[in-house]
């Protein structure tokens, strides 16, 4: 098949989910993001540490909207955010620039490490980019960024996913731990 033929695709859209699935996804996302945002604003944030980063929005889609996805399993969520944060902080610390090259290598390195460790989680790419472009408060964290907010925030969202998804009669989360 040639390049243009591949770009046409070959399948069809999956069917829409029902109202109950939508409601459980809404519930999980509201509680998970709400809890992380509350911790950011009222508990961890006043101590000078960020707890909410943009990549958690994408994790919420996977954790609460597609909990059966291999990309939403606990190993992927925790490992994806933590390892991506480590790689990107290292890239930012060790590479002199230019900025566009540091961004590119941080995200590419995060993807490669997630593949190598079986922790592929697409929001990890956003976490890697945030570690490089997040501004002075993020840069000041250094490697602490991998623990707070990346790993700790992802852990809170995972705890909510375990509860919210297993309260739903037709869901079971996780599919596996390792």
């Amino acid at each position: 098949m040639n390049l243009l033929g591949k770009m046409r695709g070959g399948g069809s859209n999956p069917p829409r989910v029902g109202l109950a699935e939508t409601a459980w996804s809404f519930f999980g996302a509201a509680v998970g993001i709400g809890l992380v945002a509350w911790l950011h604003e009222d508990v961890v944030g006043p101590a000078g540490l960020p707890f909410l980063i943009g990549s958690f929005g994408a994790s919420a889609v996977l954790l609460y909207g597609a909990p059966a996805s291999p990309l939403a399993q606990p190993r992927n969520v925790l490992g994806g955010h933590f390892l991506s944060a480590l790689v990107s902080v290292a890239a930012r610390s060790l590479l002199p620039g230019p900025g566009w090259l540091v961004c590119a290598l941080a995200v590419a390195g995060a993807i490669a490490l997630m593949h190598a460790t079986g922790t592929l989680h697409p929001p990890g790419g956003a976490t890697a980019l945030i570690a490089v472009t997040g501004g002075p408060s993020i840069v000041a964290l250094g490697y602490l960024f991998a623990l707070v907010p990346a790993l700790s925030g992802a852990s809170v969202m995972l705890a909510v996913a375990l509860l919210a998804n297993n309260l739903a009669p037709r869901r079971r989360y996780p599919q596996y731990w390792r």
Side-chain angles (χ1 to χ4, degrees):
M1 183 176 289
N2 65 27
L3 183 61
L4 292 177
K6 289 180 178 180
M7 291 181 186
R8 280 197 304 256
S12 60
N13 285 336
R16 290 183 184 191
V17 299
L19 186 57
E21 275 297 301
T22 302
W24 281 109
S25 298
F26 178 90
F27 172 73
V31 173
I33 292 294
L35 183 56
V36 172
W38 173 74
L39 290 167
H40 176 78
E41 288 182 11
D42 295 335
V43 179
V44 180
L49 293 172
F51 204 74
L52 179 65
I53 53 176
S55 56
F56 290 162
S59 289
V61 173
L62 289 167
L63 282 167
Y64 314 117
S69 167
L71 304 174
Q73 300 310 303
R75 175 187 173 97
N76 299 72
V77 173
L78 299 178
H81 281 291
F82 179 69
L83 295 174
S84 295
L86 283 179
V87 164
S88 58
V89 171
R92 187 188 64 223
S93 301
L94 300 173
L95 301 173
W100 65 265
L101 182 60
V102 176
C103 289
L105 293 177
V107 173
I111 292 170
L113 185 57
M114 287 189 286
H115 269 307
T117 57
T119 59
L120 191 64
H121 183 64
T127 296
L129 203 51
I130 290 166
V132 175
T133 64
S137 64
I138 296 293
V139 170
L141 293 174
Y143 287 100
L144 179 60
F145 176 78
L147 295 176
V148 181
L151 182 60
S152 55
S155 296
V156 169
M157 292 183 62
L158 174 62
V160 172
L162 289 167
L163 181 64
N165 287 324
N166 289 312
L167 285 172
R170 302 179 118 187
R171 290 184 176 191
R172 180 180 179 169
Y173 182 81
Q175 300 298 307
Y176 48 86
W177 281 94
R178 301 202 267 162

